[in-house]
Amino acid sequence: QVQLVESGGGLVQAGGSLRLSCAASGSIFSINTMGWYRQAPGKQRELVATLSSGGSTNYADSVKGRFTISRDNAKITVYLQMNSLQPEDTAVYYCNAEITGLDYWGKGTLVTVSL
């Protein structure tokens, strides 16, 4: 069993910042990629950022230059630093981890950005 638990969501004004965390626990032998996805109301889930075990990053164009993904391998935790937040960033943010070829998801944390 693998669990991913997100934290750090909340309400913030436009231009503000939030830091999301996702801690993995359970039967974890090898994590390849960890990342963040988001789903806004009425929209499909979309990639926000991913970070491979080798350090390669991938960002959605809409967040490049504003969001930064990082991970602490010792704590098996991935972070998403979100700066210059805009109302269009409002969504439920989900943590994802690829572990031994399988995808695992957290339950999500809500980020709301007000004007």
Side-chain angles (χ1 to χ4, degrees), residues 62-110:
S62 59
V63 307
K64 283 180 181 177
R66 300 188 298 123
F67 291 10
T68 302
I69 189 170
S70 61
R71 65 196 272 181
D72 183 330
N73 290 325
K75 295 181 180 179
I76 320 178
T77 299
V78 65
Y79 305 96
L80 185 68
Q81 178 66 43
M82 306 186 293
N83 299 327
S84 302
L85 282 161
Q86 299 301 317
E88 51 265 35
D89 295 316
T90 295
V92 177
Y93 284 70
Y94 296 92
C95 177
N96 170 269
E98 182 196 330
I99 302 172
T100 57
L102 298 177
D103 270 325
Y104 295 87
W105 294 91
K107 293 183 178 180
T109 184
L110 177 63

Side-chain angles (χ1 to χ4, degrees), residues 14-29:
S17 298
L18 282 176
R19 188 193 193 207
L20 305 183
S21 300
C22 171
S25 62
S27 301
I28 300 171
F29 299 101

Side-chain angles (χ1 to χ4, degrees), residues 34-67:
M34 296 187 77
W36 293 92
Y37 292 71
R38 67 187 181 186
Q39 187 166 16
K43 295 187 177 181
Q44 289 188 331
R45 190 174 298 188
E46 63 176 4
L47 177 146
V48 176
T50 61
L51 175 56
S52 74
S53 57
S56 297
T57 57
N58 183 34
Y59 292 94
D61 288 342
S62 59
V63 307
K64 283 180 181 177
R66 300 188 298 123
F67 291 10

